[in-house]
Structures are given as structure tokens and as C-alpha cells.
Amino acid sequence: MEHNIKLSLGQTSQDRRSELVRFVNSLNAQQGVDFSSVQLIFYDQGQNDDVFEILNPHILLTYIKGNRCSLSKARNICLPEVKGTYVAFPDDDCWYEPDTLRKALSVLQHGDYEGVTGKGTNEKGQLTSVFPSSSQNLTREKRCGAISYTLFFKFCPEMRFDEAIGVGSPYNIGAGEETDYLLSLMEKYDYRVYYDNKLIIHHPILSESDNKERLLNKCYSYARGSGFLMQKHKFSLRYKLRMFIRPLIGMIVYLLKGNLFLFKRSYYNFRGRWEGYYFKI
């Protein structure tokens, strides 16, 4: 089957089979997109090959079987296989609206932007992060909640993910690899990126009812990534002060309210950002 690829999706997973099935079903349900113009590159860190038996046969599947590794390394393994003009990196537990790919490609193919990001919600429609209520251009310090599963880019063959950061980082810098990728494209290649508040991508949300220790550990690891990026990309003093002062205020407020969990969360946010900012590889 001949393929003229417009969009390549680089994805990896270890043991989230049910979530992966949900993603594949959402990919199969895309409307207004020629499936033969879509490529799914999957780096399998588990035993997930049979999941793709349900994938629309018109989609080009590039399946890579490998060992367990960090998220950034897995994505870097996928990048040389990209055949599309555009690329995205969906999480294994995210899923799309039927018009997600059509809307993303519409923005990218118009030619005004080299990247587009959308709004994340869970299965109940609750926001997965802080997203603006109106569409707008991204800046270095106002990134409109952009996270890996919401981002779509014009493919830049020279770009790679920093394997020191992201989930599975050997330095416990457990987030920020996609933000680093985004910032590098904006800084080195002058990418213009647009936030479209009508572009919806779904993702689960961890809540306080989940394992609190797990939530705090994740918060701490992600905060280390945030701090690391502040020094790597040399943000303004105003931006850095805001990132450090906000969790300090949170600690005071939640202590006065007697909310120990949110006090700890603010503490780990501050501690993680401080450690990440001064961390040297």
C-alpha cells in the first residue's frame, strides 16, 4: 500500500494495554483524515504487539520491539523512523476526539505556524492543567499548558529529546522533556506555535483520592524538571521568582488552613524546583 505520510505519531508503552487499546480505537475513529497519510511509530517496552491487530490497516505502523528505557530515549529511537511532514508524541494513556488530527493538521498546513497545541481534558471534561480560555500564540514564558500529548509540530530532523530529563530520567528529573523540545524549536529554529482552545486531547488526571505518596513523588520529580529547565533555557528573573515564590505562598496558605497534603505538595514543588535549578549533569 502506497503512503504519502503527513503526520507521524511517535509512541511508547510498557504495560498499559487497556489504555493503549483506548488510544488505538480513538485513532481509528478519526474523521476528515486520510488514514494512509498517518504513521504510528510504536516502541514496545512490553508485550503489546497484538494490540495493533485492531489498528486501521490503512495507517502505516512502524513497530519497534525494544528494552525498557526512559521516555526521552524511546522517543529518540522513534524519531529516525518519522516519514511525515508533521510529528506528535501521544502518551499511551491519552486519547483523541474524532476531529483532533483534522484540526491539528488544518492549523499546521495553513502555513502560519510550525506547531500547534491544544487543551487537555479527562473523561469527565475536567481540564488536565491550566489552559487559557482563548486561543493565542505561545511565548517562551507563556506556553498555555502545552504538554507532550497536546503538541503537534512540523518535523525537524535535527531535533532530539534530552535523555537526562523526562519519565525514567537517571537523575530523577521526571518531566520537562517535551517543554525542552518545544523551547528548543522556538529558540533555535524560530518555530511559531499556536494554542487552539478548540483542539481537544484527552488524558487521565491523578486526584487526591489516588495514592498520596505517589502523587507527592510525582510532583517532586516533575518540579525538578521545571527547575532544571529554568536554568537550561535562561528564563527571566521575573519568571523564576514567580516559580519559586508561588509554592512558598502555597505552603503558608495551606498550613494556615490545616491542609497537610496540599502543604506537602507546595513544599515538594518548591524543593524540586530549587534542586532542579541548581542541578548539574
Side-chain angles (χ1 to χ4, degrees):
M1 183 184 301
E2 185 177 350
H3 290 80
N4 181 20
I5 305 300
K6 291 180 181 177
L7 176 64
S8 296
L9 305 171
Q11 188 179 53
T12 188
S13 186
Q14 294 182 355
D15 51 12
R16 286 177 169 168
R17 290 180 60 85
S18 61
E19 292 89 342
L20 198 56
V21 168
R22 178 175 59 187
F23 172 79
V24 172
N25 282 328
S26 78
L27 189 56
N28 290 341
Q30 291 303 292
Q31 299 173 0
V33 174
D34 179 0
F35 286 112
S36 67
S37 71
V38 178
Q39 176 191 22
L40 176 60
I41 309 165
F42 188 79
Y43 181 76
D44 196 350
Q45 302 183 49
Q47 302 293 330
N48 299 295
D49 52 315
D50 58 320
V51 170
F52 301 101
E53 293 174 4
I54 65 171
L55 183 69
N56 186 303
H58 296 285
I59 295 173
L60 176 62
L61 174 65
T62 304
Y63 177 85
I64 306 167
K65 177 62 179 173
N67 299 318
R68 296 204 170 200
C69 63
S70 71
L71 180 57
S72 292
K73 184 173 182 179
R75 286 172 172 167
N76 283 340
I77 292 170
C78 291
L79 283 171
E81 305 298 328
V82 169
K83 299 183 184 299
T85 305
Y86 309 103
V87 66
F89 305 98
D91 288 350
D92 57 358
D93 57 345
C94 82
W95 67 102
Y96 293 149
E97 281 284 294
D99 61 0
T100 294
L101 296 190
R102 177 181 63 79
K103 287 182 175 178
L105 285 170
S106 176
V107 173
L108 292 169
Q109 291 177 314
H110 192 269
D112 291 336
Y113 298 95
E114 290 78 36
V116 62
T117 185
K119 181 165 59 180
T121 71
N122 68 359
E123 66 280 359
K124 297 179 181 178
Q126 299 168 318
L127 296 178
T128 59
S129 184
V130 179
F131 297 97
S133 58
S134 59
S135 300
Q136 57 194 269
N137 294 348
L138 269 65
T139 68
R140 289 178 72 250
E141 297 185 358
K142 189 175 183 182
R143 297 183 295 276
C144 301
I147 192 167
S148 58
Y149 56 87
T150 67
L151 285 160
F152 298 81
F153 297 110
K154 181 179 180 181
F155 179 52
C156 179
E158 294 79 21
M159 276 295 301
R160 290 292 183 272
F161 286 91
D162 185 343
E163 294 183 14
I165 56 181
V167 176
S169 160
Y171 308 108
N172 195 24
I173 305 174
E177 78 290 340
E178 79 278 21
T179 305
D180 178 60
Y181 192 91
L182 165 66
L183 289 169
S184 297
L185 287 171
M186 295 174 73
E187 293 163 358
K188 296 179 181 178
Y189 301 99
D190 295 321
Y191 267 41
R192 298 157 296 177
V193 185
Y194 181 67
Y195 165 69
D196 184 348
N197 74 330
K198 293 183 172 60
L199 176 63
I200 306 297
I201 305 93
H202 297 295
H203 193 279
I205 301 175
L206 285 176
S207 68
E208 287 186 45
S209 61
D210 294 302
N211 185 297
K212 287 183 168 56
E213 184 177 353
R214 180 188 172 201
L215 284 169
L216 292 174
N217 287 336
K218 184 174 183 179
C219 173
Y220 170 62
S221 181
Y222 278 32
R224 282 175 61 88
S226 176
F228 184 79
L229 291 181
M230 278 193 278
Q231 57 95 355
K232 180 176 180 179
H233 289 275
K234 297 178 172 51
F235 285 108
S236 69
L237 178 61
R238 179 180 178 182
Y239 178 88
K240 289 186 282 191
L241 287 173
R242 186 169 71 246
M243 293 294 284
F244 285 122
I245 291 173
R246 189 175 292 170
L248 286 175
I249 294 174
M251 289 169 62
I252 296 169
V253 169
Y254 294 126
L255 184 62
L256 292 173
K257 288 184 174 181
N259 191 322
L260 185 59
F261 172 75
L262 292 182
F263 168 80
K264 287 182 177 179
R265 190 181 69 178
S266 294
Y267 165 72
Y268 280 116
N269 261 320
F270 176 79
R271 176 183 165 188
R273 289 173 186 178
W274 185 269
E275 291 178 0
Y277 184 78
Y278 288 102
F279 184 81
K280 303 294 182 185
I281 296 175

